Amino acid sequence: GVIGIDVEYGRRGGGGRGRGGGDLFFQAEDGIRDYDVTGVQTCALPIYEFGSFDDEILVLVASDNLFSYEGLGDFRELIDTLRELEGVNAVFSMADMRRAGSRVVPLIPFARASPDRYERIRRDARDHPLVGGHSLSLHSDTALVLVQLEGHWPSIDAMQPVVSRLRSVTADFNRDSTLRISISGMPIVRLDSLVSVQREQLRFTIFALILASVISWLVFRQIVAVLVATMAPLAGTFWALGLMGWMGIEINGFNMLLPPLVLVVGFTDSLHLMVDIRHGLSGGRSRKHAAAAAVERLGSACFLTSLTTAIGFGSLGLSQTVSIREFGWVCACGTALSFLAVVTMVPLLASSPLGRFLVASPAAGRLQTAEPLSTRRLAWLLRFPRLRIRSEERRVGKEGRSRWSPEH
């Protein structure tokens, strides 16, 4: 049953891929995006009517010989290719402009012209009130193309294939033409930020898992004990991610810290239970009795620690910022799920046939826990007699002062 829950939560966890990107940072409580941090005026409706920067990609086209037959030919071919891309609503550039004083004659001619004619076209474009300094640099070697995507505020899922096709087109033109093309804009920033967040989330989770495994190995010195101690917190982490997907909560810069946090919180309870179970096994108890006794003895303590941690995270739910509020609730639920995973999976795994390998040497009648490590540290400290004598002098002095105090 526990394995089935893991699979189901892991399957649902695919929904938390971060479809909204950074939208959650600029979202008001009623779900309408509010860019006015003072709260005096809401700009969502004007942005919806007239467009926003979230659906516009900036294509920067540079060339040492842009105003030539080859340069302008490649530029027009680029514009036509961008307009044919699926998911692109419109493309705006200086190629759409008309010559100043004319409503018909285009600013950029289609036919081949003489070098003097191209120089005059360059000057006309630079002096054009809507082109020079706007979509064309003052040196006339860099042009700006605006690519508008379909839909208002497109999601990450909608932008990702369009951006991939756009990058493929720019790579082809950089290789086969005289143009040097680069892209930017809010969709690119959102998409790259999400990819970076996902990569960092995986990196942090793997680092936390490795650190937990190393600590388990230093405490137990046994592979099976390390696996049992880390599998339950890892399952709780999968459950928390599955809960995010089931609730439709998207990955952002805040909740990317959820997996390592839940893993570390659950690992502390798992470590305490494993130490107690191994003590019970070394005392001659059966696997089931040792697991049940550990839960009975430490279950309430682990519950209280998880409860206080969940309350601390849940206090963030009082925030007026949606991203912080969701982060608090998700971490609180993740802490609860991690506790459930630990108190169910650790006893189950310890009472299973794996429990036979939790005690390295039953004939020795003791466990290889943190006690030998503490003993070795104490032995190392006893090598320095001066430190030991000074410690004893301070202890005796404190006892003497307390014994001769007026209260005694």
Side-chain angles (χ1 to χ4, degrees):
V2 175
I3 298 177
I5 294 176
D6 281 337
V7 173
E8 178 65 17
Y9 271 94
R11 184 181 65 84
R12 288 183 179 270
R17 294 170 297 172
R19 294 184 298 272
D23 289 347
L24 214 56
F25 292 99
F26 307 102
Q27 189 171 347
E29 293 189 6
D30 56 356
I32 300 178
R33 194 175 312 176
D34 189 357
Y35 288 96
D36 188 5
V37 295
T38 62
V40 177
Q41 182 180 5
T42 300
C43 303
L45 294 180
I47 289 176
Y48 183 81
E49 293 293 334
F50 298 101
S52 67
F53 295 109
D54 286 352
D55 60 348
E56 296 175 353
I57 296 178
L58 303 178
V59 180
L60 196 65
V61 182
S63 176
D64 296 332
N65 196 15
L66 181 60
F67 285 89
S68 63
Y69 180 75
E70 293 79 8
L72 292 179
D74 293 338
F75 185 78
R76 285 190 175 277
E77 184 180 358
L78 173 65
I79 301 300
D80 295 337
T81 305
L82 293 177
R83 285 173 176 165
E84 294 176 357
L85 289 179
E86 183 181 357
V88 173
N89 182 37
V91 178
F92 304 97
S93 68
M94 64 178 181
D96 303 317
M97 297 297 176
R98 298 295 180 262
R99 188 183 302 175
S102 175
R103 298 182 179 180
V104 180
V105 181
L107 180 64
I108 307 300
F110 291 91
R112 180 186 291 269
S114 63
D116 296 337
R117 173 63 176 165
Y118 282 118
E119 177 63 22
R120 188 162 56 252
I121 294 173
R122 186 190 67 81
R123 290 196 302 267
D124 292 342
R126 184 192 59 188
D127 298 335
H128 197 285
L130 298 179
V131 177
H134 300 284
S135 58
L136 181 67
S137 65
L138 298 179
H139 297 286
S140 304
D141 56 354
T142 304
L144 188 65
V145 179
L146 183 64
V147 179
Q148 188 180 52
L149 305 182
E150 294 179 351
H152 289 284
W153 302 333
S155 64
I156 293 294
D157 289 340
M159 288 190 301
Q160 189 167 8
V162 181
V163 172
S164 299
R165 289 190 288 267
L166 182 59
R167 283 174 169 164
S168 177
V169 168
T170 56
D172 294 339
F173 272 87
N174 285 330
R175 183 182 63 251
D176 301 332
S177 69
T178 59
L179 306 179
R180 301 186 302 274
I181 305 173
S182 58
I183 58 177
S184 182
M186 280 302 299
I188 305 299
V189 173
R190 290 174 59 192
L191 185 60
D192 292 344
S193 298
L194 177 64
V195 172
S196 176
V197 164
Q198 292 176 337
R199 183 172 58 249
E200 294 296 329
Q201 184 185 52
L202 180 61
R203 184 180 303 171
F204 291 155
T205 304
I206 293 176
F207 177 76
L209 182 60
I210 293 175
L211 185 60
S213 301
V214 171
I215 294 175
S216 299
W217 172 255
L218 292 177
V219 173
F220 301 121
R221 302 299 178 92
Q222 200 174 50
I223 296 298
V224 176
V226 172
L227 291 177
V228 175
T230 55
M231 284 178 62
L234 188 61
T237 304
F238 279 117
W239 292 4
L241 291 175
L243 180 65
M244 287 181 57
W246 182 68
M247 296 176 63
I249 298 177
E250 300 159 354
I251 296 175
N252 54 46
F254 282 103
N255 55 37
M256 64 171 286
L257 300 175
L258 173 70
L261 281 176
V262 173
L263 183 64
V264 171
V265 170
F267 175 70
T268 56
D269 295 336
S270 178
L271 196 65
H272 286 92
L273 288 177
M274 276 299 303
V275 171
D276 195 272
I277 290 174
R278 284 170 60 104
H279 275 295
L281 292 175
S282 65
R285 292 183 178 181
S286 63
R287 297 191 299 269
K288 293 183 179 179
H289 289 169
V295 174
E296 182 180 0
R297 196 162 31 243
L298 301 177
S300 59
C302 293
F303 171 75
L304 290 177
T305 55
S306 299
L307 179 62
T308 54
T309 305
I311 291 175
F313 283 128
S315 63
L316 297 176
L318 302 177
S319 174
Q320 295 182 356
T321 305
V322 177
S323 56
I324 299 178
R325 184 168 64 243
E326 287 190 353
F327 171 75
W329 287 120
V330 168
C331 286
C333 295
T335 301
L337 290 175
S338 180
F339 169 75
L340 292 177
V342 169
V343 298
T344 54
M345 291 190 63
V346 171
L348 286 176
L349 293 175
S351 59
S352 68
L354 290 176
R356 295 180 299 175
F357 305 99
L358 291 181
V359 180
S361 56
R366 65 179 181 87
L367 286 174
Q368 294 179 357
T369 59
E371 295 177 359
L373 183 60
S374 302
T375 304
R376 288 195 297 270
R377 288 180 177 177
L378 183 59
W380 177 82
L381 182 61
L382 293 178
R383 295 180 181 178
F384 303 94
R386 293 184 179 179
L387 294 177
R388 185 171 71 253
I389 292 174
R390 291 178 181 177
S391 177
E392 289 294 330
E393 289 177 351
R394 286 194 296 268
R395 184 180 64 83
V396 172
K398 291 181 180 179
E399 291 180 356
R401 287 193 298 268
S402 63
R403 182 174 301 176
W404 290 100
S405 62
E407 298 179 357
H408 295 81

